């Protein structure tokens, strides 16, 4: 077949360790034989980030703003051990956090459902998408240890120099700890609009949950902003599409989620979304079966897998061992980006390719060929555990057969 032409490049962000190896496999086996791939390439591997003083991460985010669609490989956020391992100049920040801040994006994570991989919660027959606010809260907190006998107060100085004080706690009876959190109306508004737009785009109900009964200023501000924007800008559009916006307390939302069938977007504040996305992914079977897309309020998209760099498998790979690392979420990052590029550029052949590749992946699994993580939980009677490359080759064979029909 003639290779599919692209009108506009994707922003390609390469990554680290085992996922970097798999990235190349996916391109060689599943993408380059079918697509005349156009990308603007950025190496976000930790070595190159260190060489560029992490400027490459900022450049990749700015390119995403320019081209509108990016696909990202998993990357290392270094800790103290990584400082020594990679001889780093400093402990560079999370690339995902940097990109989220530049795009002012919201992270949407959705489970990939395959026949034979049954969720731990049997009623979950449709995917649940977690929308995570990607700014503020504990991720931009200020923390202090407090000695016994101290008085902790919250002080705000307005633009005219007027001060407001509020007692946090009188530590006269014990030492302790304090932390300060913040958020911005502008960021919350962007979060709300991203969620409402994504719900309309995917035609799914949107749930939002906080703990406004306890946090009467902080969490309640989230609730009010969502409600105001929905009523003014989105209510009529939701009704036209036939979807619903629903607000409830976070503890009630958890109970409703467990009893549900799935098939909706669950919007969460930053920390809630961080925790709940891993809970949902695990309950469906595997974190390697979860997509992740960062969406900005003005419609820029960055697709990636929801998991990390699979460090343990990478060390095995360096020893020459075959690994059975699950590549599904990384493949779906590519298909998501290529489909969105096709939609924006009116290139239906790209969208068709993305649909076919996703079906080929799911057919491979449903026919019993899978990586070790899925084989361990699969209910299929006949199954074969394969290494990553073999799984991708089997997927490629099914994709090729689709194009021959």
């Amino acid at each position: 077949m003639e290779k599919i032409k692209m009108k506009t490049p994707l922003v390609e962000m390469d990554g680290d360790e085992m996922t970097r190896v798999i990235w190349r496999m996916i391109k060689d086996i599943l993408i380059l034989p079918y697509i005349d791939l156009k990308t603007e390439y950025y190496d976000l591997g930790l070595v190159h980030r260190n060489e560029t003083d992490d400027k490459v991460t900022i450049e990749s985010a700015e390119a995403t703003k320019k081209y509108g669609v990016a696909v990202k490989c998993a990357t290392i956020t270094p800790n103290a051990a990584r400082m020594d391992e990679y001889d780093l100049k400093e402990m560079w920040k999370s690339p995902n956090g940097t990109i989220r801040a530049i795009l002012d994006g919201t992270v949407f994570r959705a489970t990939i459902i395959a026949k034979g991989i049954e969720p731990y919660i049997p009623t979950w027959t449709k995917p649940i998408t977690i929308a995570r606010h990607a700014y503020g809260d504990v991720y931009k907190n200020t923390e202090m240890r407090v000695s016994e006998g101290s008085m902790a107060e919250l002080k705000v100085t307005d633009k005219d120099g007027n001060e407001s004080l509020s007692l946090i706690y009188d530590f006269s009876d014990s030492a302790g700890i304090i932390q300060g959190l913040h958020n911005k109306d502008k960021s919350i508004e962007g979060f709300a609009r991203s969620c409402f737009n994504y719900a309309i785009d995917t035609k799914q109900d949107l749930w939002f949950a906080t703990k406004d009964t306890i946090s009467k200023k902080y969490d309640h501000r989230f609730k009010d902003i969502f409600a105001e924007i929905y009523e003014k800008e989105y209510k009529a559009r939701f009704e036209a599409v036939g979807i619903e916006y629903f607000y409830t307390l976070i503890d009630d939302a958890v109970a409703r989620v467990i009893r549900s069938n799935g098939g909706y977007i669950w919007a969460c504040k930053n920390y809630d979304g961080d925790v709940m996305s891993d809970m949902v992914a695990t309950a469906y079977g595997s974190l390697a079966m979860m997509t992740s897309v960062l969406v900005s309020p003005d419609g820029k998209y960055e697709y990636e897998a929801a998991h990390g760099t699979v460090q343990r498998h990478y060390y095995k790979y360096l020893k020459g061992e075959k690994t059975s690392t699950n590549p599904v979420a990384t493949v779906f990052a590519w298909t998501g980006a290529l489909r969105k590029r096709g939609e924006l550029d009116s290139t239906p052949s790209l969208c068709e390719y993305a649909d076919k590749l996703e079906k080929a992946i799911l057919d491979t699994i449903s026919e019993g060929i899978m990586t070790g993580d899925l084989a361990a939980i699969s209910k299929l009677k006949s199954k074969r555990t394969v290494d990553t490359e073999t799984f991708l080759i089997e997927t490629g064979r099914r994709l090729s057969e689709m194009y021959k029909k």
Side-chain angles (χ1 to χ4, degrees):
M1 60 171 283
E2 184 180 352
K3 288 189 178 183
I4 300 166
K5 303 295 183 183
M6 295 177 62
K7 297 177 183 177
T8 310
L10 289 175
V11 177
E12 178 185 352
M13 305 174 185
D14 211 343
D16 286 298
E17 297 187 322
M18 200 63 220
T19 45
R20 188 183 182 97
V21 175
I22 292 171
W23 194 260
R24 171 50 59 183
M25 288 183 189
I26 291 169
K27 289 174 68 176
D28 289 345
I29 298 170
L30 298 176
I31 298 175
L32 294 177
Y34 299 90
I35 298 175
D36 186 8
L37 188 64
K38 293 172 65 174
T39 71
E40 185 159 312
Y41 178 86
Y42 294 88
D43 184 358
L44 267 57
L46 189 52
V47 172
H48 191 57
R49 277 185 277 144
N50 192 58
E51 291 171 347
T52 64
D53 296 332
D54 208 28
K55 290 178 182 177
V56 66
T57 305
I58 297 170
E59 291 168 356
S60 71
E62 294 296 339
T64 303
K65 292 170 72 173
K66 175 182 177 180
Y67 290 105
V69 185
V71 59
K72 180 181 174 295
C73 184
T75 47
I76 295 169
T77 299
N79 55 18
R82 298 295 200 164
M83 287 281 291
D84 296 333
E85 181 181 357
Y86 282 88
D87 192 23
L88 301 180
K89 299 174 187 176
E90 63 179 82
M91 199 178 296
W92 304 110
K93 294 180 180 179
S94 160
N96 288 346
T98 298
I99 295 166
R100 288 170 192 163
I102 292 172
L103 295 182
D104 190 24
T106 295
V107 180
F108 295 89
R109 290 186 168 178
T111 43
I112 302 164
I113 295 179
K115 181 182 176 182
I117 312 301
E118 297 180 9
Y120 289 100
I121 300 175
T123 58
W124 286 4
T125 56
K126 292 177 285 188
I128 295 172
T129 301
I130 299 289
R132 175 186 169 191
H133 187 212
Y135 180 82
D137 295 345
V138 297
Y139 303 88
K140 283 189 174 290
N141 71 351
T142 300
E143 301 179 319
M144 293 178 67
R145 291 283 301 274
V146 180
S147 60
E148 184 176 344
S150 299
M151 178 83 72
E153 295 177 310
L154 186 65
K155 183 176 85 169
V156 175
T157 306
D158 69 18
K159 62 183 180 180
D160 298 320
N162 301 311
E163 295 182 353
S164 300
L165 288 173
S166 183
L167 176 67
I168 297 173
Y169 191 74
D170 181 348
F171 287 88
S172 58
D173 62 338
S174 172
I177 47 177
I178 60 172
Q179 70 172 350
L181 308 182
H182 82 279
N183 228 294
K184 301 187 297 184
D185 283 4
K186 182 179 178 181
S187 181
I188 301 168
E189 289 163 4
F191 174 42
R193 290 191 175 93
S194 292
C195 290
F196 290 132
N197 288 334
Y198 197 75
I200 291 170
D201 190 35
T202 59
K203 296 180 175 59
Q204 295 183 87
D205 290 343
L206 174 64
W207 298 11
F208 180 49
T210 70
K211 193 68 173 176
D212 65 280
T213 52
I214 302 299
S215 179
K216 299 182 187 299
K217 293 284 196 306
Y218 193 97
D219 280 25
H220 212 294
R221 187 64 183 144
F222 278 81
K223 176 186 177 182
D224 288 345
I225 287 174
F226 264 74
E228 290 165 8
I229 290 176
Y230 176 71
E231 290 294 329
K232 291 179 181 178
E233 302 177 29
Y234 289 95
K235 185 176 181 179
R237 295 170 64 186
F238 266 53
E239 291 173 352
V241 176
I243 57 177
E244 177 188 14
Y245 169 61
F246 173 72
Y247 175 82
T248 189
L249 294 172
I250 186 70
D251 43 345
D252 180 55
V254 170
R256 288 173 179 267
V257 165
I258 296 301
R259 296 194 302 265
S260 76
N261 300 119
Y264 50 83
I265 300 165
W266 180 12
C268 298
K269 289 165 54 221
N270 206 348
Y271 182 78
D272 295 339
D274 192 0
V275 174
M276 295 305 174
S277 62
D278 279 8
M279 183 273 288
V280 168
T282 303
Y284 272 102
S286 172
L287 190 59
M289 297 289 284
M290 179 169 254
T291 64
S292 182
V293 55
L294 180 72
V295 183
S296 71
D298 60 347
K300 313 301 183 188
Y301 297 80
E302 182 248 304
Y303 294 82
E304 62 181 327
H307 57 74
T309 60
V310 203
Q311 179 184 7
R312 181 173 59 87
H313 283 197
Y314 181 61
Y315 291 157
K316 288 184 177 181
Y317 169 82
L318 291 178
K319 294 177 183 177
E321 300 177 24
K322 289 275 189 180
T323 67
S324 187
T325 316
N326 189 332
V328 172
T330 305
V331 174
F332 272 64
W334 274 102
T335 57
L338 289 166
R339 182 184 292 107
K340 180 54 68 176
R341 187 77 276 163
E343 291 172 357
L344 295 177
D345 291 350
S346 298
T347 309
S349 56
L350 266 183
C351 301
E352 180 186 1
Y353 163 82
D355 293 341
K356 286 181 183 295
L357 178 50
E358 289 180 3
K359 186 177 187 305
I361 282 273
L362 298 178
D363 285 351
T364 302
I365 296 170
S366 67
E367 291 167 24
I369 300 169
M370 60 191 73
T371 49
D373 61 318
L374 297 184
I377 60 175
S378 174
K379 302 297 184 182
L380 293 176
K381 293 181 180 179
S382 178
K383 57 191 175 186
R384 177 163 65 99
T385 303
V386 297
D387 61 78
T388 306
E389 186 174 13
T390 300
F391 178 82
L392 293 173
I393 290 170
E394 287 286 344
T395 298
R397 183 171 64 80
R398 286 161 177 78
L399 180 61
S400 177
E401 290 170 356
M402 291 180 193
Y403 274 104
K404 290 176 181 177
K405 292 179 181 179

